[in-house]
């Protein structure tokens, strides 16, 4: 597996999954996350919103690519502090 693994993609995916996991999101949760490794820095962006687009919370963080889990968790914590939990609760009641 090491021969076909892409280290860059794994770092990005790990940050994305940590952010989504930190939000307790499921495949039905209106959440998007994207991480990108650029010039030795890892940038992660995430979006939480209502399905109809009427309300949303968005944030991004940059950090050390050596710890993508910490970066993703930090992003989730920032989103939750900005009101993402309430948005996700309302989104769940709209199903």
């Amino acid at each position: 597996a090491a021969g076909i693994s892409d280290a860059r993609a794994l770092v990005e995916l790990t940050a994305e999954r940590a952010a989504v996991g930190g939000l307790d999101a499921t495949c039905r949760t209106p959440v998007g996350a994207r991480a990108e490794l650029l010039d030795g820095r890892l940038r992660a962006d995430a979006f939480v919103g209502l399905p109809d687009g009427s309300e949303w919370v968005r944030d991004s963080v940059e950090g050390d690519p050596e710890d993508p889990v910490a970066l993703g968790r930090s992003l989730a914590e920032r989103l939750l502090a900005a009101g993402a939990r309430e948005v996700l609760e309302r989104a769940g009641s709209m199903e």
Side-chain angles (χ1 to χ4, degrees):
I4 60 170
S5 292
D6 183 324
R8 177 189 186 117
L10 182 58
V11 166
E12 294 168 347
L13 173 68
T14 301
E16 293 164 357
R17 291 183 59 94
V20 171
L23 294 168
D24 290 325
T26 69
C27 60
R28 295 184 51 101
T29 307
V31 169
R34 178 176 182 270
E36 187 172 21
L37 189 57
L38 294 169
D39 300 322
R41 300 289 291 167
L42 183 59
R43 177 183 172 93
D45 304 286
F47 172 91
V48 173
L50 293 180
D52 66 3
S54 64
E55 190 173 348
W56 49 267
V57 179
R58 178 182 209 131
D59 202 354
S60 63
V61 294
E62 243 183 69
D64 186 352
E66 294 297 317
D67 196 354
V69 172
L71 188 76
R73 287 182 181 159
S74 171
L75 179 55
E77 289 169 6
R78 289 170 54 106
L79 288 164
L80 292 170
R85 183 178 323 280
E86 292 79 12
V87 173
L88 291 172
E89 287 172 358
R90 281 196 293 288
S93 69
M94 295 174 87
E95 292 181 359

